[in-house]
Structures are given as structure tokens and as C-alpha cells.
């Protein structure tokens, strides 16, 4: 705990923020252990809480306004976890499916996966059952309904032509067979003759 105390006093805002995240993560585990009856009291938690409260209301002019606002918001969330054991949920959507992260463990896992996977994160959260279970999420509706993956042996042009053909079939069905796939000028010329 003395190391966390020193890190909360660090001049770099990011170091203070990461220290606060780790304290909240440890305290979340401590709250879980308390509910199971196996937690032991560790001296020094109150000092850390006082430091975190001070950072939640810090008003130093040497830090940019945006950084101060972000730091206050982060440390208010950290203090809420330390004081009450409640984690402010993080909510976002992936293809209209709401995802709610309700623990610091889930939030940190999500941040790590997002850092590693970058743009593929959304696809992985939609289709990767292992990742969904690791994040504590239920199986995806799309993953349940999907039976096969697209044939990745085909070229992009082949897949494009297949999709175009299927769209044409749908349009033929919807228009009752009166669909002309040619350019509009060709359709007009054929009607004139």
C-alpha cells in the first residue's frame, strides 16, 4: 500500500490514474472477499481513500482543464468503488447489442483486448464465444444463428458477384419478375423498338 500512496502523488496524471484503477481493482476483490467472509483488515486503506478523495476534487492550475475533468471523473468512480463496493457500469453497443461491463475486472479485460485487437474487437465480441465468456457476456444472438462462416477461399470479386446475384433474385421476387438489371438508357431503347 505505501507504493500505491507514492504512485498517487506522482507528477504524471496517467501514473496516478493507473494507480487508482489498480486500487479500485484490488478493493473490488476485497469487497468480494468480504461478502464471502474471508477478508482481513489491512491498515493503510483509509489513507489511500483520503488521497483518492483529494484527487477527485483536485484543482491545480498546472494541469490542463480537460485533464483535471477526466482525473476528477476517474477518481470519483474509484472512490465510489472503495467506499461502497459499487462499480459504475460501462455501457456500449456492438451492432445494436448492448454490452454492459459491471466490474473493474471486466473493464480492464475489455481495455486490454481492445488494445491488442484494435479494429477487430467488435467482430471478436460478436462472434468469438471464448472471448464473450471471458468477458462474462452471454452468447451472441448472431453467433447462435450463424451456422457457417463465409467461404474465405473465394476472392472478393466472387463474393461480390454472388451477393449481386442474390440481390437481383430478391428484386425479381419483389417486383414480380419485372426487373431489368441493365442501365436505364438500355431499358428505354428496348421499349421504343
Amino acid at each position: 500500500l505505501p507504493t500505491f500512496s507514492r504512485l498517487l502523488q506522482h507528477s504524471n496524471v496517467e501514473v496516478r490514474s493507473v494507480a487508482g484503477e489498480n486500487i479500485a481493482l484490488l478493493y473490488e476483490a476485497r469487497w468480494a472477499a468480504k461478502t464471502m467472509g474471508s477478508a482481513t483488515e489491512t491498515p493503510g486503506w483509509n489513507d489511500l481513500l483520503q488521497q483518492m478523495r483529494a484527487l477527485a476534487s483536485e484543482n491545480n492550475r498546472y494541469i490542463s482543464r480537460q485533464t483535471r475533468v477526466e482525473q476528477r471523473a476517474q477518481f470519483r468512480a474509484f472512490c465510489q468503488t472503495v467506499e461502497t463496493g459499487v462499480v459504475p457500469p460501462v455501457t456500449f453497443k456492438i451492432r445494436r447489442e448492448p454490452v454492459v461491463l459491471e466490474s473493474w475486472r471486466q473493464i480492464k479485460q475489455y481495455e486490454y483486448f481492445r488494445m491488442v485487437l484494435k479494429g477487430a474487437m467488435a467482430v471478436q465480441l460478436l462472434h468469438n464465444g471464448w472471448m464473450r465468456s471471458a468477458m462474462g457476456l452471454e452468447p451472441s444472438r448472431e453467433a447462435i444463428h450463424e451456422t457457417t462462416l463465409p467461404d474465405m477461399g473465394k476472392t472478393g470479386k466472387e463474393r461480390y458477384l454472388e451477393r449481386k446475384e442474390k440481390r437481383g433474385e430478391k428484386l425479381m421476387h419483389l417486383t414480380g419478375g419485372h426487373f431489368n438489371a441493365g442501365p436505364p438508357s438500355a431499358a428505354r431503347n428496348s421499349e421504343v423498338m
Side-chain angles (χ1 to χ4, degrees):
L1 295 181
T3 303
F4 283 123
S5 182
R6 282 194 310 275
L7 291 174
L8 287 174
Q9 296 170 1
H10 199 275
S11 61
N12 188 333
V13 176
E14 290 182 25
V15 171
R16 291 193 301 254
S17 177
V18 170
E21 284 179 353
N22 286 318
I23 292 168
L25 187 63
L26 287 172
Y27 219 83
E28 181 183 57
R30 186 170 179 253
W31 272 99
K34 259 187 187 179
T35 58
M36 293 172 40
S38 62
T40 59
E41 282 300 316
T42 308
W45 282 107
N46 289 333
D47 296 335
L48 285 177
L49 181 57
Q50 293 301 322
Q51 281 184 290
M52 290 173 67
R53 283 185 186 144
L55 289 170
S57 62
E58 187 175 47
N59 195 17
N60 291 329
R61 297 287 179 206
Y62 67 89
I63 300 174
S64 72
R65 183 177 184 282
Q66 181 180 358
T67 305
R68 274 186 305 207
V69 169
E70 289 173 7
Q71 176 180 301
R72 287 182 199 149
Q74 287 175 335
F75 277 94
R76 278 194 299 269
F78 301 153
C79 286
Q80 181 181 3
T81 300
V82 172
E83 291 170 346
T84 64
V86 175
V87 178
V90 174
T91 306
F92 57 93
K93 288 186 177 185
I94 297 178
R95 282 209 193 144
R96 294 177 292 224
E97 178 187 355
V99 177
V100 180
L101 306 177
E102 298 175 327
S103 72
W104 287 109
R105 179 192 61 79
Q106 284 181 320
I107 293 168
K108 294 307 294 175
Q109 274 184 328
Y110 174 75
E111 288 175 358
Y112 179 76
F113 285 142
R114 191 176 64 188
M115 179 188 71
V116 172
L117 296 173
K118 298 186 186 338
M121 183 65 185
V123 172
Q124 291 296 324
L125 271 180
L126 276 174
H127 303 290
N128 188 332
W130 177 86
M131 181 175 282
R132 291 185 69 84
S133 67
M135 295 288 300
L137 302 173
E138 294 178 10
S140 167
R141 286 177 265 159
E142 288 187 21
I144 291 170
H145 296 298
E146 261 181 22
T147 55
T148 60
L149 291 174
D151 184 7
M152 298 310 285
K154 296 180 181 178
T155 65
K157 186 168 185 172
E158 289 171 331
R159 288 192 302 270
Y160 165 76
L161 292 173
E162 279 183 11
R163 285 193 307 268
K164 184 177 177 183
E165 184 178 321
K166 286 179 184 178
R167 281 192 299 264
E169 290 171 5
K170 285 181 187 177
L171 285 173
M172 290 290 280
H173 174 71
L174 293 174
T175 60
H178 302 294
F179 175 69
N180 187 353
S185 61
R188 272 187 256 128
N189 290 339
S190 64
E191 291 172 8
V192 172
M193 292 182 193

